[in-house]
Amino acid sequence: MGLIDILTRKKGVITGEDVMKLFQYAREHQFAIPAINVTSSSTVVASLEAARDAQAPIILQVSQGGAAYFAGKGVSNTNQSASIKGSIAAAHYIRSIAPAYGIPVVLHTDHCAKNLLAWLDGMLEEDEKYFKQHDEPLFSSHMIDLSEEDKDVNIAITRQYLQRAAPMKQWLEMEIGITGGEEDGVDNTAVDNNSLYTQPDDIYDVYSALAPVSPYFSVAAGFGNVHGVYKPGNVKLHPELLGKHQAYTKEKISSLEDKPLFLVFHGGSGSTKQEYLTAISHGVVKVNLDTDLQYAYLTGIRDYMFNRKEYLLKQVGNPDGDDKPNKKYFDPRVWVREGEKTMSARVKEGLTDFNTANQL
C-alpha cells in the first residue's frame, strides 16, 4: 500500500485531512516533500512534471514577492494588493492544471512576516469564501513567520491565525528561531548566530499553545539554517538538534509517538544529502527548495542562448544562410522550455534525495 491508497483525493490539490495523512505518512516512512517556490505558470509545470515522473507528491508555494510577480510587476502592491491577487491567481491556476499530472499537490504560501500580515489576511478571506462554496479552503496551507518577534508575541499571534484556519482544517506552518541569509527581501544576514538555533523548550511552548486549537500545524525550527547557497563550511547545520526537540516534547506530553511534531527544513539549498536525511529521520516532512531551483532554471536558458547565439541576433539570417528565418529559435516557447527542463531535473534530484520518489 502506498500513499495514494490512503488519500481521499488522489490527484490535484489536497486539503484538510488529506494533508494530515500525507504528513503522517511521510513522518512514518521517513521522507520529506520538497516545497517549490513558484513564480509563474512555467515554474509550476516544471515542478509538476518532475513530481509526476518521479511518482511523488509535491508542495507548490508562493512567497509574497513571488505572488506579486505572478500578478505582474506592473501592478501596484499597495496594501499587498498585488500579492493577494497574484496568490489567488496562482492558486486557481494550480488547482485547474494539477489534476492533469495525476499526483497529490499541497498548495502553500511561504514566509509571512508581521509587516506582511495584510497579505495573509487577504488570502484567508478568499479561503473563507471558497470554503463556503466548496467545503474546503482555496489554499491547503499557509506559513506565518513571526520569528523576528519576541517568542510570546510570535506564539500568541500564530495561535490567533490558527484559530481562524482551524474551522477549515487548514494547515498552518510557523517558524521559531530565525533562518539566516536573505530571501525575497527579508535580510537576516546580520543576525546573531545563536538566534539560528531553536531551544527544545521553545518548541514545547509552541506545541502547548497550538495543539489545543488544532492538530493542523508544523514548526520550522532553527538548527543553523540559512537561505541561499554559501561556501562549504560557512553554514553550520545541526539537524540532530531536531531529535532533541522531539524527545523533549514527547516527554512533556507523555506521547506514545517518538516524533509527535511535524517539522520543516528551511534554507535547504546547498545542504548535503546526509543533512537532509538526518533532519528527515527526526520528523522533518517538508523541505524548502528555492535558490538551487532558480539557478537550475537559469542554466537551461543560459546554455540555450550561448549555444544558439548566432541564430538569435536577428530575425532573419544565420549560419545556415542570410535568408534563413530564426523564428523557431527565438520563440519564447522554445527557450523558456529549456529552463523548465533543467529546473525539473533539479526538482527530481530533490525528490530522490528526500526519499519522496516512488512513494505514491
Side-chain angles (χ1 to χ4, degrees):
M1 177 180 288
L3 170 63
I4 207 74
D5 298 304
I6 66 171
L7 298 180
T8 302
R9 183 173 296 163
K10 312 297 184 183
K11 59 184 180 179
V13 172
I14 63 173
T15 61
E17 292 179 4
D18 275 343
V19 175
M20 174 65 81
K21 290 176 184 176
L22 168 62
F23 288 150
Q24 287 175 332
Y25 189 89
R27 189 173 60 183
E28 178 185 351
H29 291 81
Q30 295 201 17
F31 69 89
I33 304 97
I36 313 303
N37 283 68
V38 293
T39 56
S40 63
S41 61
S42 178
T43 52
V44 167
V45 299
S47 305
L48 290 173
E49 187 173 325
R52 179 201 63 196
D53 293 348
Q55 281 298 285
I58 196 79
I59 300 172
L60 300 183
Q61 61 187 24
V62 290
S63 65
Q64 180 262 353
Y69 186 85
F70 219 108
K73 294 296 286 185
V75 178
S76 169
N77 205 17
T78 302
N79 298 323
Q80 301 299 319
S81 60
S83 292
I84 294 168
K85 290 181 174 68
S87 298
I88 294 169
H92 283 291
Y93 172 70
I94 292 168
R95 275 186 169 273
S96 65
I97 201 65
Y101 289 82
I103 55 167
V105 176
V106 175
L107 178 53
H108 182 65
T109 62
D110 205 6
H111 296 267
C112 181
K114 190 176 182 181
N115 64 323
L116 302 178
L117 287 176
W119 172 48
L120 181 52
D121 291 336
M123 292 187 292
L124 283 169
E125 288 178 13
E126 198 67 21
D127 282 320
E128 289 159 348
K129 292 178 185 176
Y130 196 90
F131 184 82
K132 288 179 180 179
Q133 291 182 307
H134 304 282
D135 201 32
E136 63 180 60
L138 178 61
F139 295 87
S140 311
S141 56
H142 295 293
M143 180 192 181
I144 183 169
D145 178 4
L146 304 177
S147 56
E148 293 184 341
E149 311 302 320
D150 290 339
K151 183 180 75 172
D152 291 345
V153 173
N154 181 352
I155 294 174
I157 297 177
T158 298
R159 180 183 167 92
Q160 291 173 7
Y161 277 91
L162 186 60
Q163 287 172 329
R164 185 171 179 182
M168 299 181 284
K169 292 186 177 179
Q170 187 177 50
W171 199 273
L172 187 66
E173 176 185 334
M174 67 89 66
E175 181 165 343
I176 187 162
I178 294 173
T179 300
E182 183 176 3
E183 181 181 60
D184 213 355
V186 178
D187 188 353
N188 289 329
T189 54
V191 300
D192 181 1
N193 278 348
N194 290 331
S195 299
L196 305 180
Y197 300 95
T198 310
Q199 299 304 307
D201 56 333
D202 294 332
I203 301 295
Y204 173 67
D205 287 344
V206 171
Y207 182 90
S208 61
L210 301 187
V213 176
S214 168
Y216 293 83
F217 70 92
S218 52
V219 183
F223 52 97
N225 318 57
V226 175
H227 286 133
V229 177
Y230 295 85
K231 184 179 178 180
N234 284 6
V235 176
K236 304 293 185 182
L237 286 180
H238 291 283
E240 70 278 1
L241 295 176
L242 301 177
K244 295 182 179 180
H245 300 331
Q246 296 280 15
Y248 186 85
T249 298
K250 170 184 166 67
E251 180 182 1
K252 295 289 283 188
I253 66 174
S254 300
S255 175
L256 297 177
E257 295 186 71
D258 289 334
K259 294 178 285 189
L261 304 166
F262 295 101
L263 299 175
V264 177
F265 189 150
H266 280 235
S269 292
S271 301
T272 66
K273 183 175 181 178
Q274 188 54 55
E275 286 169 336
Y276 289 133
L277 293 178
T278 300
I280 290 168
S281 73
H282 293 308
V284 162
V285 296
K286 172 179 178 280
V287 179
N288 282 16
L289 279 181
D290 186 24
T291 305
D292 281 357
L293 297 180
Q294 290 177 342
Y295 187 72
Y297 191 91
L298 165 69
T299 58
I301 297 173
R302 177 201 65 194
D303 293 349
Y304 178 85
M305 294 297 177
F306 283 156
N307 294 333
R308 297 291 185 179
K309 177 182 176 182
E310 298 302 322
Y311 295 82
L312 301 172
L313 296 176
K314 49 190 175 181
Q315 291 192 56
V316 178
N318 60 50
D320 299 329
D322 291 340
D323 62 343
K324 298 295 184 181
N326 294 318
K327 178 174 172 55
K328 66 180 180 181
Y329 299 106
F330 62 71
D331 184 333
R333 291 172 295 181
V334 176
W335 51 268
V336 169
R337 177 59 182 160
E338 295 304 310
E340 292 172 0
K341 290 177 182 177
T342 47
M343 178 180 171
S344 189
R346 181 61 184 87
V347 174
K348 288 179 188 175
E349 183 181 330
L351 289 165
T352 300
D353 287 348
F354 307 157
N355 294 330
T356 331
N358 299 312
Q359 291 289 349
L360 296 185

